[in-house]
């Protein structure tokens, strides 16, 4: 899965190249509020333009639950891309995505031209039977295909994986873009060939979301640090009172197994030694709230754990200090609340100060690192939450597997 053909391995001159991007950007009243994903796609697009390729971009946006609608149209993305590239990105607004308008727009293209198709999810569920026809229609528009949408690469959708079969069958290239290659290099090497010591930090709310990640990383890393809401299930599995803290009682035996596995493999498994507690969950989430700190073994029965305490912050920072590779997925507490963000800030700060390769596994941890101002201090921030988790689980990602091997 790690040695794939890239945009540097073929010349797009005069060829129609379909590029699957991740333009699933946040919109407010039709305006893009965060252009990170657009900026991330630019190197691949510029390379294909420089080659003299005819560049056809596609992406999904939003969940599209109630059918095609202007609120989830990619029109604002075409506008922003035109500004960023300094040239017109022609937008095909057709809700059918690959209909007559798209065919005509592609036929009229000159080398170096760029068009953007409408939201791929306007065609309905891409992974259903409908996906086969859609895969063929997408492939009919192009000679070669490039996947640069890591955030969607864990989904076997028409525009991610299905299209590659048809393109390959007619002799076209199926490659990954620069963004995908960077993700594969950082996440792939971190998991399969890390410079040691390798420290993995897992947070977030639920153990269930990270079952296979915990198990896989225990086999790969030297130290596994657990924080966030899921730490309380581990603490309860050790027999401690956790009050009204978040807990998944169905996963207590699993947590016991993982602690036994760590011991058996000679790996360090670090859990919070102290905890910031509140009387209840903040409402609204960023409301001012009174907190107390207790040892993790002595959480009062009527209190709720919300963040790692100062001693745990120091313990985790110390573990990161000597690391050469660090992967972090999931915040240490309710970081959306300023009072309960201290643990997440402390971990982010310790990563910013280390000379290790630091990889942030997308989702909430990426949001936290960026919001807290540490983004530029990290070696790599993944653009895909779900995809990076599945990568860390050791799963094959359909969008990566579908690209040609070198």
């Amino acid at each position: 899965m790690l040695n794939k053909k890239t945009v540097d391995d073929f010349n797009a001159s005069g060829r129609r190249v379909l590029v699957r991007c991740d333009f699933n950007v946040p919109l407010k009243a039709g305006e893009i509020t965060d252009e990170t994903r657009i900026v991330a796609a630019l190197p691949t697009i510029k390379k294909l333009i420089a080659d003299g390729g005819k560049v056809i971009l596609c992406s999904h946006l939003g969940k599209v639950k109630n059918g095609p609608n202007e609120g989830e149209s990619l029109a604002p993305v075409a506008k922003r891309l035109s500004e960023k590239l300094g040239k017109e990105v022609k937008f095909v607004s057709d809700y059918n995505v690959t209909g007559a308008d798209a065919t005509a727009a592609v036929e009229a293209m000159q080398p170096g031209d760029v068009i953007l198709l409408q939201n791929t999810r306007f065609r309905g569920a891409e992974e259903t039977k409908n996906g086969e026809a859609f895969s063929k229609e997408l492939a009919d528009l192009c000679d070669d295909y490039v996947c640069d949408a890591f955030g969607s690469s864990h989904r076997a959708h028409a525009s991610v994986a299905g299209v590659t079969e048809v393109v390959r069958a007619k002799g076209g290239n199926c490659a990954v873009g620069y963004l995908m290659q960077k993700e594969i290099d950082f996440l792939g090497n971190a998991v399969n060939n890390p410079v040691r010591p390798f420290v993995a930090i897992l947070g977030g709310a639920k153990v269930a979301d990270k079952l296979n990640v915990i198990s896989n990383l225990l086999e790969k890393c030297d130290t596994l640090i657990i924080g966030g809401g899921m730490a309380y299930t581990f603490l309860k599995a050790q027999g401690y009172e956790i009050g009204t803290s978040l807990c998944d009682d169905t996963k207590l035996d699993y947590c016991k197994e993982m602690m036994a596995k760590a011991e058996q493999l000679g790996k360090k498994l670090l859990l919070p030694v102290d905890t910031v507690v509140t009387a209840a969950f903040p409402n609204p989430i960023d409301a001012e709230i009174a907190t107390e700190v207790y040892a993790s073994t002595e959480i009062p029965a009527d209190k709720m754990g919300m963040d790692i305490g100062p001693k745990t912050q120091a313990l985790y920072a110390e573990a990161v200090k000597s690391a050469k590779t660090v992967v972090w997925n999931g915040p240490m507490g309710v970081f959306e609340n300023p009072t309960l963000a201290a643990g997440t800030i402390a971990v982010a700060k310790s990563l910013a100060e280390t000379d290790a390769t630091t990889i942030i596994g997308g989702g909430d941890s990426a949001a936290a690192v960026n919001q807290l101002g540490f983004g530029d201090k990290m070696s790599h921030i993944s653009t895909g939450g779900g995809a990076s988790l599945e990568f860390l689980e050791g799963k094959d990602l359909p969008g990566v597997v579908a690209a040609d091997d070198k």
Side-chain angles (χ1 to χ4, degrees):
M1 195 162 78
L2 301 180
N3 194 26
K4 293 295 179 180
K5 185 183 279 187
T6 77
V7 283
D8 287 328
D9 295 319
F10 74 97
N11 192 315
S13 179
R15 293 175 70 79
R16 302 168 302 161
V17 185
L18 179 69
V19 187
R20 175 56 159 97
C21 300
D22 182 4
F23 293 143
N24 187 21
V25 294
L27 292 171
K28 198 168 184 181
E31 292 295 319
I32 296 165
T33 57
D34 182 348
E35 60 181 28
T36 306
R37 287 176 169 166
I38 292 173
V39 173
L42 295 176
T44 295
I45 298 168
K46 286 177 176 172
K47 161 74 167 82
L48 294 168
I49 292 170
D51 276 358
K54 300 171 182 179
V55 186
I56 307 151
L57 307 174
C58 69
S59 175
H60 77 283
L61 174 65
K63 301 240 189 290
V64 192
K65 289 197 170 107
N66 302 311
N69 66 89
E70 276 308 294
E72 289 171 304
S73 165
L74 282 169
V77 174
K79 184 169 171 253
R80 187 65 60 89
L81 270 171
S82 299
E83 292 163 9
K84 294 279 175 200
L85 290 169
K87 66 182 294 162
E88 186 200 2
V89 173
K90 184 177 170 57
F91 180 56
V92 183
S93 58
D94 176 12
Y95 283 0
N96 190 47
V97 187
T98 52
D101 290 356
T103 305
V106 171
E107 276 174 7
M109 291 180 87
Q110 298 297 315
D113 283 355
V114 185
I115 68 170
L116 173 62
L117 303 178
Q118 185 55 279
N119 188 340
T120 57
R121 290 199 180 158
F122 281 7
R123 277 294 291 265
E126 280 196 68
E127 71 278 15
T128 59
K129 270 287 184 200
N130 158 58
E132 289 178 26
F134 190 29
S135 296
K136 185 177 183 311
E137 289 166 33
L138 285 166
D140 285 346
L141 293 174
C142 69
D143 303 305
D144 303 303
Y145 171 82
V146 172
C147 187
D148 212 20
F150 182 74
S152 300
S153 65
H154 59 313
R155 309 211 181 276
H157 287 180
S159 65
V160 175
V163 61
T164 61
E165 294 170 25
V166 194
V167 169
R168 192 176 289 111
K170 62 180 187 177
N173 295 288
C174 294
V176 297
Y178 292 132
L179 181 61
M180 279 281 279
Q181 186 58 46
K182 192 176 175 215
E183 297 275 11
I184 292 167
D185 286 348
F186 273 100
L187 284 165
N189 286 326
V191 175
N192 296 304
N193 191 24
V195 181
R196 297 189 181 279
F198 172 26
V199 175
I201 306 169
L202 293 177
K206 297 178 190 157
V207 176
D209 293 346
K210 307 230 164 76
L211 288 179
N212 298 326
V213 183
I214 294 167
S215 187
N216 190 47
L217 284 178
L218 268 180
E219 289 166 21
K220 313 276 189 183
C221 70
D222 301 295
T223 301
L224 178 62
I225 293 173
I226 303 277
M230 66 177 187
Y232 303 108
T233 307
F234 276 89
L235 291 169
K236 187 170 179 178
Q238 287 182 316
Y240 298 121
E241 168 67 63
I242 59 162
T244 58
S245 306
L246 201 63
C247 183
D248 185 347
D249 286 328
T250 65
K251 298 293 179 283
L252 293 172
D253 285 342
Y254 172 83
C255 290
K256 287 175 189 169
E257 281 168 34
M258 289 304 106
M259 290 186 280
K261 180 174 180 170
E263 198 169 337
Q264 183 194 340
L265 294 173
K267 306 296 176 79
K268 270 191 197 160
L269 176 63
L270 299 182
L271 292 166
V273 292
D274 60 347
T275 299
V276 175
V277 303
T278 63
F281 199 86
N283 183 21
I285 199 164
D286 57 355
E288 274 190 44
I289 195 158
T291 63
E292 299 169 273
V293 179
Y294 283 89
S296 295
T297 54
E298 295 168 10
I299 297 172
D302 60 344
K303 301 286 185 188
M304 181 181 271
M306 287 288 177
D307 192 15
I308 57 172
K311 286 180 181 167
T312 307
Q313 292 170 24
L315 175 72
Y316 290 2
E318 192 58 36
V320 165
K321 244 181 214 166
S322 57
K324 289 285 177 251
T325 306
V326 186
V327 171
W328 177 23
N329 186 290
M332 296 292 103
V334 186
F335 79 97
E336 300 89 342
N337 186 300
T339 313
L340 304 171
T344 302
I345 291 170
V347 169
K349 195 165 178 292
S350 67
L351 264 66
E353 288 169 357
T354 178
D355 59 359
T357 297
T358 48
I359 300 154
I360 312 301
D364 282 344
S365 25
V369 163
N370 284 324
Q371 280 170 31
L372 300 169
F374 292 108
D376 60 342
K377 302 280 197 302
M378 304 301 157
S379 310
H380 179 64
I381 299 178
S382 178
T383 52
S388 65
L389 265 184
E390 292 198 14
F391 216 130
L392 296 176
E393 274 181 44
K395 277 188 182 174
D396 286 345
L397 307 185
V400 179
V401 172
D404 296 337
D405 293 326
K406 275 195 182 178

